[in-house]
Every structure is written in C-alpha cells, then in structure tokens.
Amino acid sequence: MRLTKFTDLALRVTMRLAVMEPGESLTTRQVSEVMAIPYTHTAKVIARLQHLGVVEARRGRGGGLGLTGSGRTASLGRLVRELEGEEEVVACEGETPCPLRGACRLRGALRAAQHAFYTSLDPITVEDLIASPTGPVLAGLVNRDAS
C-alpha cells in the first residue's frame, strides 16, 4: 500500500507543529519553508488538518498555527484513515468491471491487508512520532532564508 503525497505532507506538518515550544508560533508560510513543501500544498494540508480538529489556526496579531490537544494524542491510524479514506485497494467496479468480481479471492486478501495496515498504526500517536531522535531534528529545522 502506498500513501498519497498529501497524507505524507499532512503527517510531516503535524509532526513539526507537535514539537513547537510553548509560546512558539508558526505561520503556514513558515511551515512550508521549514518543511520544504510548496505553500499551496501546505495551505491545503493545514485546511484539512483544521477540518479534522488536529490543527488550530489563529488569525491576527499573536496568531499562527498550533496543534490541538486531540491532535497531539491522535492515533496515526485514525489520521491516515481520515486523510486517505478507506476505499478499496483495488477497483473491481467501474466503467469496465473486473470479470472476476463475483469469484475473486484477491479483493478479500487486499482488504484484509489494508485493515492490518491501519490496525498496526492505531496504537501510534503523534506524540510517539516525535520522540527522540525525530523530535529534536524537527525542532531544529529553521527557515534557511531567515538564518
């Protein structure tokens, strides 16, 4: 199974926001620069993470991005399910349906593998992802233009 680039970016942004110090604030532009992600992609990722309740964005003076309490303890499995969707791994229906769809064992095997994949991610939280050595590396990332 392969995750979409969007999910990969969303998880990396979430991890970067998780290592912010109290009082630290980052804008969407700063996150995009620090994580080397195009701004437009970062803005879409932030909007989706806000919708999921993982990220909060404050506007105006003293504003910026932050991880919500539920974002910090979010299950990696839940986040990936929300970001990827739980569609079938293979498309047996559609414009030209698979002729094996009535008697295929592959679809069930792939569905079981997908379930096992998500289940293996369920106990891992965002906080688990930022444990050392990852957290310090993420916290040390700075905008190269600002340094």
Side-chain angles (χ1 to χ4, degrees):
M1 186 170 163
R2 183 181 180 125
L3 298 180
T4 62
K5 185 72 170 176
F6 185 84
T7 298
D8 174 46
L9 298 177
L11 295 174
R12 288 193 282 150
V13 165
T14 301
M15 291 168 60
R16 177 56 185 99
L17 294 176
V19 297
M20 288 189 339
E21 294 292 327
E24 182 183 4
S25 181
L26 292 173
T27 65
T28 301
R29 184 156 312 279
Q30 289 170 322
V31 170
S32 77
E33 291 169 357
V34 166
M35 297 303 293
I37 302 170
Y39 175 78
T40 55
H41 293 352
T42 307
K44 289 176 187 175
V45 161
I46 295 294
R48 180 74 170 123
L49 291 172
Q50 276 185 274
H51 178 76
L52 294 176
V54 174
V55 170
E56 63 180 346
R58 297 169 308 281
R59 293 183 177 267
R61 189 177 180 99
L65 302 172
L67 213 55
T68 64
S70 61
R72 186 170 298 284
T73 59
S75 158
L76 183 58
R78 180 185 74 82
L79 281 176
V80 173
R81 276 185 192 91
E82 293 284 346
L83 294 164
E84 289 286 318
E86 291 192 72
E87 295 179 18
E88 297 282 335
V89 176
V90 293
C92 299
E93 307 299 327
E95 200 170 304
T96 53
C98 176
L100 299 176
R101 71 182 180 277
C104 183
R105 300 181 82 190
L106 176 62
R107 185 178 186 180
L110 292 174
R111 186 180 304 128
Q114 180 183 30
H115 178 74
F117 174 75
Y118 286 134
T119 300
S120 71
L121 297 176
D122 282 339
I124 303 167
T125 66
V126 171
E127 285 187 331
D128 294 333
L129 295 175
I130 61 168
S132 188
T134 306
V137 171
L138 281 165
L141 295 177
V142 295
N143 180 358
R144 289 174 205 94
D145 296 334
S147 12

